[in-house]
Amino acid sequence: MDQVRTAIEVEKVQILPAENDDHGGVVVKLEEHMDSDVFLTLLKTSMSQWTIQGKKGVWIKLPTHLVNLVEPAVKEGFCYHHAESDYLMLVKWIPKTTNTIPANASHRVGVGAVVLNHKREMLVVQEKNGILRGKGIWKIPTGVIDVGEELFDGAKREVKEETGIDTEFVEILAFRQSHKVYFEKSDLFFVCMMRPLSFDIQIQELEIEAAKWMPLEEVAAQPSAEKESLLKYITDLCIAKVERDYSGFSPHPVTSFFSDQPSHLYFNKKEN
């Protein structure tokens, strides 16, 4: 009888609006303005009820116009998990067990586009900004993948934006992982082989100082391409690819248990 009474009382208690997640926790999504004192009262009551219910992680998604609720949430033991331009995500682990909430995204994903024409010339650029500014180094077009963007689409976009050249994706030649690059995050960099569909260069003047088609051997002869540099390995792979001694990774559509969004598995599918 006591258990029945407790269940009825729990249903009558006013708590924050929340949805169950797939891992035994709840997600609070607030949109309308709320006084911080009212929020604190509801939060304390909610945490008590979620503890009784055996919930694990509690997530609070706060849009920027509800910034007044950040301080009371933090004082109740919530931590920052991640932030985007329009919201902040806070989280708290309830059980007295090991916290299994995954950390925020650990990697940034970048692409470099290797574009070779029929003359064995590589499309290269000199950057107007950043650490390479004014150093006279010719490099391949590079950039960061946007949210929801495929690697091959990102490579085509970056080449078009920086040089005005239209391209067709061929395959991934290689990838590099490095650490503590931007905001202490790790970095995955995919080197993509591209086939040019146009040849007249029109540089993006905001970021690119110059761009041109350079003989592959001249790119490889730059001082910056010596020893074990990234550029040296890229040019070596290009030469091997041209001479048909190397085969990279091509995308193949796959389905997933975790999302209904399209995805691709990259692997080496040798030609018969």
Side-chain angles (χ1 to χ4, degrees):
M1 180 65 94
D2 290 339
Q3 292 180 346
V4 174
R5 185 182 300 112
T6 299
I8 295 174
E9 291 173 352
V10 167
E11 290 180 359
K12 291 181 179 180
V13 172
Q14 184 178 4
I15 63 175
L16 292 168
E19 299 176 356
N20 293 328
D21 62 22
D22 295 328
H23 304 281
V26 294
V27 181
V28 178
K29 296 181 180 180
L30 301 175
E31 294 294 339
E32 297 182 3
H33 177 76
M34 182 180 296
D35 180 80
S36 57
D37 290 334
V38 174
F39 170 74
L40 181 59
T41 299
L42 289 174
L43 179 59
K44 289 182 176 181
T45 303
S46 300
M47 292 300 295
S48 296
Q49 300 306 316
W50 292 329
T51 300
I52 293 173
Q53 295 169 9
K55 299 299 182 182
K56 296 179 180 178
V58 177
W59 303 82
I60 301 179
K61 184 176 181 180
L62 293 177
T64 52
H65 66 274
L66 294 181
V67 66
N68 64 304
L69 306 184
V70 174
E71 183 176 358
V74 171
K75 287 184 177 179
E76 285 300 304
F78 280 80
C79 300
Y80 299 135
H81 187 267
H82 67 272
E84 296 293 342
S85 60
D86 58 346
Y87 76 88
L88 172 69
M89 186 70 82
L90 302 169
V91 68
K92 182 176 181 179
W93 181 255
I94 296 179
K96 295 180 179 180
T97 58
T98 301
N99 186 339
T100 60
I101 292 175
N104 184 25
S106 60
H107 286 68
R108 189 188 73 154
V109 179
V111 289
V114 175
V115 188
L116 290 179
N117 63 21
H118 63 283
K119 299 178 182 179
R120 286 175 60 108
E121 294 174 331
M122 180 185 290
L123 180 63
V124 292
V125 300
Q126 288 184 346
E127 294 186 346
K128 185 174 289 187
N129 307 303
I131 60 174
L132 297 181
R133 176 184 178 184
K135 294 187 177 181
I137 295 176
W138 293 98
K139 57 180 283 294
I140 61 176
T142 59
V144 179
I145 295 296
D146 292 334
V147 175
E149 185 177 44
E150 295 286 352
L151 292 171
F152 46 83
D153 288 331
K156 290 189 289 186
R157 174 182 54 77
E158 287 294 342
V159 175
K160 182 67 173 179
E161 289 178 356
E162 293 189 3
T163 68
I165 298 295
D166 294 309
T167 57
E168 178 183 33
F169 178 83
V170 179
E171 62 188 18
I172 289 177
L173 293 178
F175 70 91
R176 178 204 65 190
Q177 183 180 28
S178 53
H179 304 287
K180 293 188 176 181
V181 180
Y182 294 93
F183 302 106
E184 297 299 302
K185 299 296 184 180
S186 298
D187 183 82
L188 285 173
F189 180 77
F190 292 86
V191 181
C192 302
M193 190 78 181
M194 315 293 289
R195 181 180 297 110
L197 300 178
S198 64
F199 302 93
D200 294 330
I201 295 173
Q202 296 180 343
I203 65 170
Q204 179 191 49
E205 296 185 358
L206 181 63
E207 297 181 356
I208 302 302
E209 184 69 34
K212 67 178 181 179
W213 294 99
M214 178 183 285
L216 184 54
E217 289 71 21
E218 289 186 20
V219 179
Q222 293 184 98
S224 58
E226 294 179 349
K227 298 182 179 180
E228 296 182 355
S229 70
L230 176 63
L231 185 56
K232 179 185 186 305
Y233 280 112
I234 289 175
T235 53
D236 287 347
L237 287 173
C238 285
I239 293 173
K241 181 65 181 176
V242 170
E243 297 175 354
R244 301 183 182 278
D245 291 331
Y246 184 84
S247 182
F249 301 91
S250 301
H252 303 270
V254 295
T255 58
S256 172
F257 292 110
F258 305 103
S259 173
D260 57 0
Q261 297 298 311
S263 61
H264 293 82
L265 179 67
Y266 288 78
F267 60 88
N268 182 307
K269 186 176 181 180
K270 294 184 178 181
E271 298 178 358
N272 296 327

